[in-house]
Amino acid sequence: MKIVFFTSMVTFFVLNISQAQIFRYYKSEELEKTFYDNVEWKQKIREREIEFEQYFQNEFLLFEENITEVKHLQVVFNILQTEDKKVSLDNIKYQLKALNAAFNNEIAMPEDDFYKDKAYSAGIQFCVPEFNENFIRVVTLPKGTELRNIFSERGEMGLQPFEPEKYINIWVADLGQYNPQGQEFSIAGYAQLPMRDPLKDGIVIDIDHFGEQPNNELYKKGYTLAHLMGIYLGIRPLWGLDGEGQCGGDGVDDTPEINGATLICLPQREDYFVATGCFGNLRRMNKNFMDNIPDDCAAMFTLGQRRKMHANLGKKGPRGYLIPLQPFKCNDGRSTSIVENDVVKASKVKVMPNLAHSQISINIEESIENINFSIFNLSGQLMIKGVMESPSKDINVTEWPAGMYYLLVNQHLNKTSNVQKVTFEVIR
């Protein structure tokens, strides 16, 4: 006999075991709500999403999509650890392995699961270019420091995004707890959908949900980042993320909408029906990474989710800039140093302030011999070039449009050439 398990019963069960377990809470919806509460941003997002959907449904699906293609993406970890909570290199490697397993359908689905045949590789591989202090940036804060509003605080902590036009920036920090009406949740993190504010873009994950967490009964395998990465690549949670209530869905045709995060792992067999709580009383897909189920339960993306993420990474997609123009090979895990020769030691380049309004200052420590500089916008347009005649050079950017820019510093020394790149932003 088929068992029907309604959403109200799920909620009752959750409330009765909540005192024994702290569930995971994502703040992505709060971040999205800040845009939808702003009339100008809401209109801008609507227009951009309509344009993207036209590209996705027409040009991408008809001409670009290659169902066998694997996208390779590079990430940077910005670690805001505390003296009592530190992140090891081994745990960073574990997290990458777990993330790639999630996105490449390497996690076994139960043989009797109703949606087993819908599990599909997302076809995305993540890596750190090199395991060194350039791509794993660490700041150690005093014991007990919590960064609940990390998007506004990260600059003060010394970890502005590193070349966001090229790498996915992931911040790891202690985000604390969330206590709605006396119910305690752990804040797992948040991520921003594409086509939003570049100043807030990226992924933030709580340090207690990062990598392997053997003492966390429900969230020990490192799959929290898979959910956040899905949002970053354009997939909403199954319950929606538009600030307008539940049953909003993830914007993908082959996944059911649900009326809220599932939180507990329930079987999903042919003879065991867990309702979504949305119109049509559809069956929950509670093994999907875009739900909020325990790590032991999470196992799948769908073909539709893969296509939507690949479209966001397509030639005209909002995340297409993350795909390198030239093939690259990531470091195999060996520890390396960014200081590899005397030429690199000779010039340490900084742009101040990183968020500039009217003027920037290029500062070069130590040697200034034979140094040229060029500044480009993200479209590759040359803004200015010249020669460093002293350790510091001021440049007026008052007339430059707001946006990201990058400085290239080229030093010729001892018949060798060293090019360094520094990213900064002009704001208005």
Side-chain angles (χ1 to χ4, degrees):
M1 182 179 67
K2 182 175 292 188
I3 300 174
V4 180
F5 202 97
F6 291 100
T7 306
S8 59
M9 298 179 66
V10 175
T11 304
F12 175 80
F13 184 57
V14 169
L15 292 175
N16 277 275
I17 66 171
S18 61
Q19 300 304 316
Q21 176 62 49
I22 298 176
F23 291 102
R24 178 174 56 193
Y25 173 75
Y26 292 110
K27 294 184 69 177
S28 304
E29 188 170 351
E30 294 179 24
L31 179 61
E32 182 74 347
K33 192 175 186 297
T34 63
F35 297 117
Y36 275 79
D37 287 344
N38 183 304
V39 175
E40 183 178 351
W41 261 112
K42 184 175 181 178
Q43 179 63 26
K44 187 184 300 185
I45 290 171
R46 293 293 193 197
E47 292 172 355
R48 291 175 177 177
E49 290 186 338
I50 290 172
E51 184 178 352
F52 169 75
E53 280 300 320
Q54 291 173 341
Y55 158 69
F56 173 54
Q57 297 293 341
N58 296 299
E59 187 173 346
F60 177 78
L61 289 178
L62 290 175
F63 304 112
E64 284 193 36
E65 187 190 26
N66 180 349
I67 204 66
T68 63
E69 181 184 14
V70 175
K71 303 283 190 183
H72 293 85
L73 302 178
Q74 302 172 95
V75 302
V76 172
F77 290 108
N78 304 296
I79 310 294
L80 293 163
Q81 63 185 16
T82 58
E83 294 172 353
D84 58 326
K85 289 184 178 181
K86 295 188 176 181
V87 178
S88 69
L89 180 62
D90 285 343
N91 213 25
I92 292 173
K93 293 178 180 178
Y94 176 93
Q95 178 62 87
L96 277 172
K97 182 178 180 180
L99 185 64
N100 284 321
F103 273 77
N104 290 278
N105 200 27
E106 297 173 4
I107 302 166
M109 285 277 287
E111 288 297 326
D112 60 352
D113 190 88
F114 184 82
Y115 289 114
K116 182 177 183 298
D117 293 339
K118 282 189 175 288
Y120 207 93
S121 170
I124 301 174
Q125 192 79 14
F126 303 91
C127 70
V128 173
E130 292 187 30
F131 283 86
N132 60 32
E133 61 268 35
N134 201 23
F135 301 102
I136 299 174
R137 309 156 76 210
V138 181
V139 170
T140 302
L141 306 173
K143 180 179 179 180
T145 302
E146 293 183 0
L147 300 177
R148 292 175 179 266
N149 298 311
I150 191 171
F151 276 127
S152 61
E153 295 174 351
R154 66 190 185 193
E156 298 173 13
M157 297 299 108
L159 287 181
Q160 289 286 346
F162 179 75
E163 299 191 22
E165 76 285 357
K166 184 177 180 181
Y167 304 110
I168 301 174
N169 275 257
I170 300 171
W171 283 265
V172 182
D174 189 349
L175 303 180
Q177 305 294 312
Y178 174 64
N179 301 89
Q181 301 177 346
Q183 172 65 56
E184 187 174 45
F185 290 79
S186 62
I187 300 175
Y190 43 105
Q192 183 175 276
L193 286 165
M195 299 175 281
R196 271 72 174 163
D197 188 353
L199 292 178
K200 297 182 178 181
D201 205 14
I203 297 172
V204 177
I205 183 170
D206 182 71
I207 199 167
D208 293 325
H209 288 84
F210 180 80
E212 187 177 26
Q213 299 288 337
N215 295 325
N216 191 329
E217 181 182 355
L218 296 186
Y219 316 114
K220 58 188 175 183
K221 294 184 177 180
Y223 297 149
T224 296
L225 186 56
H227 177 94
L228 295 170
M229 187 64 75
I231 293 175
Y232 180 82
L233 295 176
I235 308 297
R236 292 169 168 83
L238 298 185
W239 60 90
L241 195 69
D242 56 9
E244 299 176 355
Q246 300 167 326
C247 294
D250 64 349
V252 177
D253 292 338
D254 61 358
T255 58
E257 299 173 359
I258 59 177
N259 67 340
T262 305
L263 294 182
I264 56 177
C265 191
L266 295 166
Q268 194 57 285
R269 305 184 304 267
E270 179 67 34
D271 64 342
Y272 194 96
F273 186 94
V274 185
T276 64
C278 298
F279 179 77
N281 208 32
L282 301 175
R283 181 190 294 267
R284 286 181 177 245
M285 184 184 278
N286 64 345
K287 299 291 189 297
N288 197 290
F289 287 109
M290 300 316 294
D291 201 343
N292 189 12
I293 29 70
D295 282 4
D296 280 341
C297 193
M300 66 178 290
F301 285 109
T302 67
L303 176 59
Q305 289 173 327
R306 173 196 172 108
R307 285 173 169 161
K308 184 60 71 74
M309 286 189 279
H310 279 232
N312 275 280
L313 292 166
K315 294 176 182 177
K316 294 184 179 179
R319 299 286 191 206
Y321 59 88
L322 293 170
I323 303 298
L325 296 177
Q326 301 296 329
F328 67 92
K329 182 178 181 181
C330 284
N331 187 274
D332 60 6
R334 293 176 289 109
S335 296
T336 61
S337 172
I338 58 172
V339 181
E340 296 182 1
N341 54 55
D342 291 337
V343 177
V344 178
K345 289 181 181 179
S347 59
K348 298 178 181 178
V349 182
K350 293 182 180 179
V351 175
M352 300 177 65
N354 189 278
L355 293 177
H357 184 267
S358 59
Q359 181 175 285
I360 61 168
S361 178
I362 303 174
N363 296 288
I364 299 181
E365 300 177 11
E366 301 178 25
S367 172
I368 60 163
E369 181 181 356
N370 300 317
I371 294 180
N372 300 317
F373 73 90
S374 305
I375 298 178
F376 299 84
N377 63 18
L378 290 187
S379 299
Q381 177 187 0
L382 177 67
M383 307 301 294
I384 190 174
K385 66 178 180 178
V387 178
M388 293 294 296
E389 298 173 344
S390 67
S392 180
K393 186 173 184 66
D394 295 333
I395 297 174
N396 189 321
V397 298
T398 304
E399 302 299 323
W400 295 11
M404 301 297 299
Y405 294 85
Y406 60 92
L407 163 73
L408 292 182
V409 171
N410 192 350
Q411 182 179 32
H412 301 278
L413 189 63
N414 298 328
K415 296 183 180 181
T416 62
S417 180
N418 173 51
V419 178
Q420 296 186 61
K421 182 178 178 182
V422 179
T423 304
F424 65 95
E425 185 166 1
V426 173
I427 58 176
R428 293 285 174 252

